[in-house]
Amino acid sequence: MYRVFRFPVSQIEKANLLLTDDIVSRQSVTTRDATSLRLPGEDRYVLVEGSEAGIVRAVELLKGIAKPLEGAEAEDVYRRFQAQDEQAVSGMGLIFGP
C-alpha cells in the first residue's frame, strides 16, 4: 500500500511528524521536491509505503497540513518516484558493474 502527499513549501517541516510517529516511522517514507519529479511548482511530495495501519496513521497525522493525492494524480506521482528509484539502481550497476 502507498499514499502520496503534497506539501506546500511552507509546511514541509511538518513532514517530520511522520518520522517521529511510532507507527509511521516503521514504514518507508520518501520525500522529493516537485522539480526532481519533473512536476510544476515548488511543492514537496512525500511517499509513504507500508502497512494499511501505517498509511491510515499518516493520513490522520497530516490532516490539514498536506493534501493526500487521489486517483490518476497519485498514480502519476508514484510512478515518478519509482522511475527515479529505478534510475538510481541502474546507475549503481554502472558504477559497480554486473
Side-chain angles (χ1 to χ4, degrees):
M1 291 189 73
Y2 74 91
R3 193 67 180 224
V4 180
F5 299 89
R6 181 182 322 146
F7 282 80
V9 174
S10 63
Q11 298 291 325
I12 191 59
E13 73 280 350
K14 294 185 179 173
N16 290 332
L17 289 170
L18 299 174
L19 301 175
T20 59
D21 182 79
D22 187 50
I23 296 171
V24 181
S25 65
R26 296 176 191 204
Q27 314 309 304
S28 173
V29 179
T30 309
T31 304
R32 304 258 167 78
D33 61 28
T35 305
S36 73
L37 294 171
R38 297 180 188 220
L39 293 167
E42 296 181 359
D43 294 333
R44 298 279 176 93
Y45 293 84
V46 175
L47 169 65
V48 179
E49 292 181 287
S51 69
E52 183 176 354
I55 304 300
V56 168
R57 180 69 178 150
V59 170
E60 289 172 9
L61 287 171
L62 298 177
K63 274 191 181 158
I65 297 171
K67 177 186 176 196
L69 303 183
E70 302 286 340
E73 183 181 22
E75 290 177 31
D76 176 53
V77 175
Y78 182 66
R79 276 189 251 114
R80 291 171 188 259
F81 270 90
Q82 288 180 315
Q84 279 191 347
D85 291 345
E86 289 170 9
Q87 287 176 338
V89 169
S90 69
M92 293 297 284
L94 293 174
I95 293 170
F96 295 107

